[in-house]
Amino acid sequence: MSDAAGDISKLSFEDALKQLDTIVRELEQGNVPLERSIEMYERGDALRKHCDTLLKSAEAKVEKIQLGQNGEATDTTALDPQ
């Protein structure tokens, strides 16, 4: 794992998404030299994959809440991963 990949793996979803948004904006402006564009694209792809992994992990943790007759939560059931 490269330093950049290790750096990305420690980012929260929100921080990774902010960095990805910044990269997209800069690339869309078209003022970035080719070599730098390639580096930014590669980092953006790694950030996207990291965000996807974090989202899938969050989905796996989501629980269905079962409500009782009084409308209060009585039990939780893990969300099916499929």
Side-chain angles (χ1 to χ4, degrees), residues 65-77:
I65 299 174
Q66 297 174 357
L67 301 178
Q69 289 180 344
N70 62 358
E72 296 203 15
T74 59
D75 195 15
T76 58
T77 307

Side-chain angles (χ1 to χ4, degrees), residues 22 33 61 76:
T22 299
K61 294 177 183 177
T76 58

